[in-house]
């Protein structure tokens, strides 16, 4: 019997409606102490997927109009009895209702505890639970699509397919080794090789898509660099749609690094608008410039900005040089002005060059296409199964190397029971990936990163 838990499941801001979620064996009993249906019926009699309109009762007084939605185990998010009370979404009302629920027998839910219970009750596996957290934190369309597909079990299905193949093989080999006298048809070396290679290829394909998947779902650290006054801040403002960076005619006004996340096409860029790359005697400015260089070094993508209306200067050449080892796009800004720039010199130094006018807001789509093409994610299919995080990747990598070892052992003519040890260890990694065999430490670590109420 699990203790009944409760938490506010809606955001920590005032809204039209706020939801208090209660889950556990006593969920309905506790809810019926704080919620009275208008028709005076008993909530305890209510079946699953049923709702009642009524009042929240706090200290014997009617406190709000509300709706109680009842789910009956096992057909609920957590797999337990669940009641969701929808009250008016003023923060105080929601908080008071939760307090009343807690006073009547529930305990406050820990971070991610509803989803943890869903996992422990077999409603979702670990990859699906992690997908819930990803959906909540998703910033871009691709990320949302990928997490939704993971929630539907796209990755689980792919992993379980490989796992089934391996467990079959393992059981067969074990039987053959353990009962040599029985009439168990021998699994030929060729069949083992074929099956192992199939599993290896499936894992390899997941691993090789990992980096692109991360770019598409988590976004990419992007530095906007260029000499003072080329329009870095204006470009940042064009991309963010706000006036976050200060735009002025005086050189060196972007003293520090301004950071902002922006959506560009289906991607999210973690943008850093940096101080101009030049030497300076001003101490504050110098600190800004150092940060700019660091931002450029740390960035996964660089947008190197040039002023179309000016000839290339020493600084520009310096920047071109600095960008030569980075994934960088040349952004020729002020394309609305008469061109004085040696465009060919810029174009030949960068894989991609885009013309924009930050003040007129033109060139955004071209920039978006150039970024996707340069990163190799233009045709990325975010609905395909993909590894969502370092934990999943680590399990997948270990399983992959155990399968490679098993294949080598096969080539070296080792016995089936020796090969089976490697197959079992690969299977263990995959079982831990989906959570069927994950340690409680791993499980607790995953759910501790969730928000309360999820
Ligand atoms: P930063 O020092 O590189 O951040 O440059 P700013 O964004 O502060 O821009 C410097 C000046 O260039 C400002 O006066 C902007 O209005 C102007 N500017 C920026 N982008 C454009 C553009 O696309 N066209 C024109 N004509 N002027 C621009």
């Amino acid at each position: 019997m699990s203790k009944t838990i409760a938490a506010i499941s809606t955001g920590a801001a005032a809204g039209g409606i706020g939801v208090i979620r209660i889950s556990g064996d006593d969920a309905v009993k506790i809810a019926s102490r704080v919620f009275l249906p208008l028709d005076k019926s008993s909530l305890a009699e209510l079946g699953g997927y049923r709702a009642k309109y009524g009042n929240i009762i706090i200290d014997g007084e009617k406190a709000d109009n509300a709706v109680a939605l009842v789910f009956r185990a096992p057909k609920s998010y957590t797999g337990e009895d669940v009641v969701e009370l929808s009250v008016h979404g003023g923060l105080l009302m929601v908080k008071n209702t939760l307090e009343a629920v807690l006073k009547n027998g529930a305990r406050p839910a820990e971070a991610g505890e509803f989803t943890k219970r869903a996992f422990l009750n077999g409603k979702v596996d670990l990859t699906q639970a992690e997908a819930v957290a990803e959906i909540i934190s998703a910033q871009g369309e691709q990320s949302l699509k990928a997490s939704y597909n993971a929630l539907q079990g796209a990755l689980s299905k792919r992993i379980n397919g490989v796992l089934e193949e391996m467990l079959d093989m393992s059981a067969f080999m074990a039987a053959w080794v353990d009962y040599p006298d029985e009439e168990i048809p021998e699994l030929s070396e060729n069949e083992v090789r074929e099956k192992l290679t199939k599993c290896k290829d499936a894992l390899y394909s997941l691993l090789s898509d990992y980096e692109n998947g991360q770019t598409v779902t988590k976004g990419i650290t992007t530095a906007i660099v260029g000499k003072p006054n080329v329009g870095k801040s204006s470009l940042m403002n064009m991309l963010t749609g706000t006036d976050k960076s200060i735009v002025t005619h005086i050189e060196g006004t972007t003293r520090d690094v301004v950071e902002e996340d922006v959506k560009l096409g289906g991607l999210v860029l973690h943008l850093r608008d940096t101080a101009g790359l030049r030497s300076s005697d001003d101490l504050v400015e110098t600190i800004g410039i150092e940060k700019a260089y660091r931002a450029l070094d740390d960035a996964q993508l660089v947008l190197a900005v040039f002023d179309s209306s000016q000839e290339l200067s020493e600084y520009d050449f310096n920047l071109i040089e600095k960008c030569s080892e980075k994934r960088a796009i040349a952004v020729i800004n002020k394309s609305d002005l008469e061109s004085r720039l040696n465009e060919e010199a810029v174009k030949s130094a960068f894989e991609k060059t885009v013309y924009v006018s930050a003040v007129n807001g033109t060139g955004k789509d071209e920039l978006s296409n150039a970024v996707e093409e340069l990163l190799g994610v233009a045709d990325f299919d975010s609905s395909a199964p993909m590894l969502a995080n370092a934990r999943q990747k680590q399990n997948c990598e270990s399983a992959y190397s155990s399968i490679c070892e098993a294949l080598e052992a096969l080539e070296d003519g080792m016995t089936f029971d020796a090969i089976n040890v490697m197959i079992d260890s690969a299977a263990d990694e995959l079982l831990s990936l989906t959570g069927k065999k994950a340690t409680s430490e791993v499980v607790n670590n995953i759910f501790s990163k969730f928000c309360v109420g999820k």
Side-chain angles (χ1 to χ4, degrees):
M1 178 164 160
S2 60
K3 175 89 179 148
T4 299
I5 53 171
I8 297 164
S9 280
T10 37
I17 289 171
V19 174
I20 294 92
R21 188 191 254 164
I22 314 167
S23 178
D25 296 343
D26 292 334
V28 179
K29 195 164 87 189
I30 293 171
S32 63
R33 292 180 190 144
V34 296
F35 175 85
L36 193 63
L38 221 56
D39 59 11
K40 305 273 189 296
S41 64
S42 158
L43 215 53
E45 309 282 298
L46 209 59
Y49 302 139
R50 296 278 185 278
K52 281 280 174 189
Y53 179 60
N55 293 111
I56 295 293
I57 310 291
I58 298 177
D59 297 331
E61 304 263 331
K62 286 182 184 167
D64 194 10
N65 298 336
V67 171
L69 181 56
V70 173
F71 302 84
R72 293 290 185 176
K75 293 182 176 174
S76 71
Y77 182 71
T78 57
E80 306 172 328
D81 277 357
V82 169
V83 180
E84 287 181 3
L85 297 173
S86 300
V87 301
H88 286 112
L91 288 180
L92 189 59
M93 190 61 237
V94 176
K95 190 172 139 277
N96 288 351
T97 308
L98 174 66
E99 267 171 24
V101 168
L102 298 179
K103 239 192 245 172
N104 279 285
R107 76 155 168 77
E110 288 164 15
E113 198 172 358
F114 292 101
T115 312
K116 186 177 179 181
R117 288 186 175 199
F119 166 67
L120 294 174
N121 291 325
K123 302 290 290 186
V124 292
D125 72 9
L126 269 192
T127 68
Q128 290 170 306
E130 283 171 320
V132 171
E134 298 280 344
I135 286 184
I136 293 171
S137 62
Q139 288 181 302
E141 306 305 332
Q142 302 252 41
S143 174
L144 209 50
K145 198 165 155 193
S147 342
Y148 176 73
N149 281 301
L151 181 61
Q152 301 314 301
L155 179 62
S156 316
K157 271 186 215 133
R158 175 66 57 87
I159 295 293
N160 287 333
V162 175
L163 196 55
E164 231 168 79
E165 195 86 52
M166 291 174 56
L167 292 176
D168 270 0
M169 212 177 350
S170 166
F172 203 87
M173 282 177 160
W176 193 77
V177 170
D178 291 346
Y179 307 104
D181 302 333
E182 303 285 319
E183 292 277 308
I184 300 169
E186 186 178 349
L187 196 60
S188 78
E189 223 177 271
N190 261 347
E191 276 174 279
V192 175
R193 185 178 299 110
E194 222 171 81
K195 279 174 185 283
L196 282 174
T197 308
K198 205 170 129 200
C199 295
K200 181 182 136 193
D201 291 348
L203 298 186
Y204 182 80
S205 129
L206 283 174
L207 285 167
S208 52
D209 280 345
Y210 179 72
E211 288 305 329
N212 278 349
Q214 290 291 293
T215 300
V216 162
T217 56
K218 304 285 186 315
I220 182 151
T221 322
T222 307
I224 302 184
V225 289
K227 69 181 174 191
N229 248 17
V230 288
K232 296 181 297 297
S233 309
S234 308
L235 177 67
M236 176 108 168
N237 292 341
M238 172 176 108
L239 296 175
T240 57
T242 65
D243 271 337
K244 185 165 174 140
S245 298
I246 320 150
V247 180
T248 69
H249 291 281
I250 310 151
E251 289 191 359
T253 33
T254 314
R255 298 215 158 213
D256 215 319
V257 180
V258 181
E259 300 188 352
E260 183 95 72
D261 288 347
V262 299
K263 265 172 61 173
L264 188 65
L267 290 178
V268 173
L269 307 186
H270 307 301
L271 277 187
R272 284 148 160 227
D273 167 18
T274 63
L277 292 172
R278 63 183 187 126
S279 51
S280 168
D281 295 333
D282 179 329
L283 182 63
V284 181
E285 181 73 8
T286 308
I287 294 168
I289 292 163
E290 276 172 17
K291 283 197 183 171
Y293 274 116
R294 224 178 301 138
L296 186 143
D297 286 340
D298 293 347
Q300 296 167 291
L301 172 71
V302 176
L303 301 181
V305 188
F306 300 92
D307 184 339
S308 157
S309 68
Q310 288 186 9
E311 288 178 17
L312 285 175
S313 65
E314 191 192 330
Y315 306 123
D316 293 316
F317 285 114
N318 191 1
L319 174 61
I320 290 175
E321 163 110 38
K322 274 229 143 234
C323 288
S324 62
E325 283 167 14
K326 303 288 303 183
R327 280 200 293 198
I329 293 175
V331 179
I332 299 182
N333 186 34
K334 308 195 188 181
S335 59
D336 53 298
L337 300 179
E338 195 187 324
S339 171
R340 290 209 186 82
L341 185 79
N342 180 354
E343 293 172 13
E344 286 317 309
V346 174
K347 279 186 180 169
S348 60
F350 289 85
E351 212 176 301
K352 298 261 170 210
T353 301
V354 179
Y355 290 86
V356 306
S357 168
V359 286
N360 292 344
T362 56
K364 196 172 169 181
D365 289 346
E366 290 75 6
L367 182 58
S368 166
N369 292 340
V371 169
E372 291 194 356
E373 282 166 21
L374 186 73
L375 299 178
V377 295
D379 302 318
F380 191 81
D381 178 9
S382 41
S383 61
M386 71 172 90
L387 299 165
N389 53 42
R391 181 194 76 82
Q392 297 176 2
K393 180 183 171 228
Q394 163 88 57
N395 285 137
C396 194
E397 263 172 354
S398 305
Y400 176 79
S401 36
S402 293
I403 295 177
C404 291
E405 278 172 27
L407 272 166
E408 273 170 37
L410 190 70
E411 298 317 322
D412 291 348
M414 282 169 78
T415 56
F416 273 180
D417 54 343
I419 295 170
N420 217 2
V421 172
M422 296 157 202
I423 296 181
D424 279 347
S425 107
D428 271 357
E429 291 292 340
L430 297 184
L431 285 167
S432 150
L433 197 162
T434 58
K436 285 194 189 117
K437 223 173 165 177
T439 63
S440 57
E441 197 185 344
V442 167
V443 171
N444 289 340
N445 185 28
I446 288 172
F447 290 104
S448 67
K449 294 188 190 119
F450 276 55
C451 48
V452 172
K454 192 61 243 170

